Amino acid sequence: TDTAQSAIFEGEELTFLLLPEGNTGGDVSWSLSGIVDSLEFGAAVDGMVTASASFASNGALTRGTVS
């Protein structure tokens, strides 16, 4: 079991950090907070588990840079 996956529940508030260029200093980053509306995990096939989630944003999308 993956600890991060088992710690996420519907109604939980999360902050998402997106690193579209990578995680090297100076690269662009985006962050967004939201509430998990739904979360479903599928059965493992060849060691891969599928997941589907939806969330509602509760703040602004913020642009930053990796330090």
Side-chain angles (χ1 to χ4, degrees), residues 4-48:
Q5 290 176 357
S6 62
I8 300 173
F9 300 98
E10 290 179 12
E12 188 82 20
E13 182 172 357
L14 301 175
T15 299
F16 298 90
L17 178 61
L18 309 172
L19 303 171
E21 297 179 337
N23 62 354
T24 302
D27 288 349
V28 171
S29 66
W30 295 94
S31 63
L32 176 68
S33 294
I35 306 279
V36 178
D37 286 331
S38 67
L39 180 64
E40 296 178 19
F41 293 100
V45 175
D46 293 330
M48 299 295 290

